[in-house]
Amino acid sequence: TPAGFGAVAPRRSMEDLIAEQYIDTVDVILGGGYRHFNPDDRNDGRDLISEYREKDYTLLRTREELKNADARGRMLGLFYNSHLPYTIDHRRDDDLKEDVPTLAEMTRVALRTLSRNNDGFLLQVEGGRVDHAAHGNDAAAIMWDQLAFDDAIGVCLEFLEEHPETLIVMTSDHGNANPGLNGMGGGYRRSTQTFERLTRAKASYTAMSSRMRRRARDNGGDLSADIVREVVKWGTDLELTEEEAEIIVAARTGGDVHEMNRQLSRWRGQLGQMLGNHTGVQWTGRTHTADWVMVLAAGAGREMFSGLTLNTDAFDRMAEVLGITHRNPKADPDGEAEERPRRGIGMRSPAEEAVADHHWT
């Protein structure tokens, strides 16, 4: 999502190409992805870091450097080689705490810097690892990254109090894996108690997977049920049975797992279901879902985002707020033709027409 505001590429996986396009387009870039700027990691050897410096971007690599950054200039903050770590792992690891800022800390510095522009600014903040955790059926990782995002929203709301002319729009681009909280225990009386168990987890599935690999290597290369049980206990404070651990071993090593829902047949899907027996959180799958998402707005122009809307309309409403009329330069190189209808403006599917024609209250 952030790249969509500042770059154009045929595929999202073309991250080296995307990294090149922010120069002179985006003034404040904070996150991970160091490998796509570093010449030693890029296939073409291009030194993007030097190119950004030549354009007066200050390179920031640590949390301390971000806190002490001069808020009057451009910033390129690259705090991790790939995706930023999950918040649940960040909380546990002292090295990560020292090197990697939180989403709220990055948001605060970005607002402080961009607000110096008298003509206004556009800031896009994403809690991107919520999506990754949902794909992995990792409920504890979702929870902590959602809370980190909530902290960032708090920073934005504080800014709004001091700058009431600001518009804040908060939404999600889609649902994912449909994590649902089931009633637990007789009369559902244990629902709160079981959900509370999520707070005891201290590691993401990704961290647990790395630990399983290391323990298996130390064990001669073979992953055992005992290792699985030990690592899951370490990461979640929950106990798997011997039978459950054997299923995880089979799912990780290509063995036969009897699962009717194919989306949940791999080890993360299996572990998500097993832990759900303890926490009450269960899943429909491991992919994006069609459930509706909230659009919340505060500040100047918030009324433009009220009611039931198509997700594709968010683009046009944001463009309208900014006073932008979108034209496709390839379809209309001279800017003379009328804007072509597109889905979300002038063209609707039958399902969209049914939604649009219904009188919602």
Side-chain angles (χ1 to χ4, degrees):
T1 299
F5 284 80
V8 178
R11 293 184 300 277
R12 65 191 299 176
S13 59
M14 302 175 71
E15 294 167 294
D16 283 1
L17 173 63
I18 292 170
E20 302 166 9
Q21 298 184 45
Y22 297 140
I23 300 179
D24 285 335
T25 298
V26 182
D27 295 322
V28 176
I29 307 160
L30 304 174
Y34 177 73
R35 63 186 180 184
H36 303 292
F37 297 80
N38 181 24
D40 295 334
D41 294 318
R42 289 175 58 96
N43 291 330
D44 59 6
R46 184 172 171 181
D47 188 356
L48 281 189
I49 292 174
S50 295
E51 294 182 32
Y52 274 81
R53 281 176 168 151
E54 290 172 3
K55 293 291 186 176
D56 298 323
Y57 287 82
T58 299
L59 177 65
L60 309 171
R61 292 302 317 279
T62 68
R63 186 180 192 181
E64 192 66 24
E65 288 177 355
L66 177 70
K67 290 181 178 180
N68 297 326
D70 187 344
R72 292 171 293 184
R74 290 171 159 180
M75 297 180 186
L76 176 64
L78 304 173
F79 306 109
Y80 211 64
N81 202 43
S82 182
H83 298 294
L84 291 180
Y86 286 107
T87 298
I88 192 172
D89 298 323
H90 185 273
R91 288 166 48 84
R92 183 191 73 254
D93 191 311
D94 289 338
D95 290 336
L96 292 179
K97 288 180 183 179
E98 182 175 346
D99 292 339
V100 181
T102 66
L103 190 62
E105 290 168 342
M106 289 187 283
T107 301
R108 192 179 300 279
V109 172
L111 286 171
R112 186 177 69 213
T113 303
L114 294 172
S115 61
R116 292 179 176 271
N117 188 335
N118 293 328
D119 295 327
F121 63 91
L122 171 66
L123 172 64
Q124 206 284 334
V125 179
E126 181 180 43
R129 303 235 68 180
V130 175
D131 176 69
H132 295 170
H135 280 302
N137 294 162
D138 190 343
I142 288 179
M143 180 184 70
W144 285 113
D145 267 280
Q146 193 68 58
L147 289 171
F149 181 76
D150 188 64
D151 290 340
I153 291 297
V155 171
C156 294
L157 292 174
E158 291 173 6
F159 183 87
L160 176 61
E161 290 182 3
E162 299 179 7
H163 304 85
E165 71 281 8
T166 305
L167 170 65
I168 300 173
V169 180
M170 182 178 71
T171 189
S172 173
D173 48 354
H174 51 72
N176 192 338
N178 269 33
L181 184 59
N182 295 322
M184 299 291 284
Y188 305 151
R189 292 183 182 89
R190 293 179 56 81
S191 300
T192 300
Q193 181 181 353
T194 53
F195 184 64
E196 185 270 339
R197 290 172 179 164
L198 277 183
T199 64
R200 304 179 197 170
K202 64 179 183 181
S204 67
Y205 287 9
T206 298
M208 287 190 283
S209 181
S210 297
R211 194 177 181 95
M212 286 182 197
R213 283 196 298 270
R214 291 194 301 271
R215 292 285 289 107
R217 186 171 61 246
D218 295 341
N219 193 45
D222 295 327
L223 180 65
S224 67
D226 287 342
I227 291 175
V228 169
R229 296 183 71 191
E230 171 198 318
V231 171
V232 171
K233 174 65 175 177
W234 164 78
T236 69
D237 197 36
L238 297 173
E239 299 268 6
L240 295 186
T241 66
E242 183 75 20
E243 180 183 8
E244 288 172 333
E246 291 288 0
I247 292 172
I248 298 299
V249 171
R252 283 183 64 93
T253 58
D256 189 21
V257 175
H258 297 286
E259 170 61 64
M260 300 304 292
N261 184 342
R262 294 189 183 94
Q263 287 205 15
L264 299 177
S265 62
R266 297 183 179 180
W267 79 269
R268 292 174 187 262
Q270 292 294 297
L271 183 59
Q273 293 179 84
M274 294 171 188
L275 297 182
N277 293 326
H278 298 269
T279 65
V281 180
Q282 286 291 1
W283 314 84
T284 60
R286 294 189 57 217
T287 58
H288 294 174
T289 50
D291 46 311
W292 295 1
V293 301
M294 289 190 297
V295 180
L296 305 175
R302 62 187 182 276
E303 64 278 356
M304 294 184 64
F305 296 88
S306 64
L308 180 69
T309 64
L310 293 172
N311 61 335
T312 48
D313 288 346
F315 167 86
D316 302 295
R317 296 186 187 196
M318 286 189 287
E320 184 177 347
V321 166
L322 294 170
I324 296 172
T325 301
H326 175 70
R327 293 289 186 273
N328 186 333
K330 291 185 178 180
D332 183 17
D334 300 321
E336 297 176 353
E338 293 184 5
E339 184 174 359
R340 291 188 174 189
R342 64 182 181 83
R343 183 64 55 81
I345 298 181
M347 299 174 64
R348 299 183 190 271
S349 70
E352 290 167 341
E353 291 290 353
V355 171
D357 291 343
H358 190 86
H359 296 291
W360 296 93
T361 59

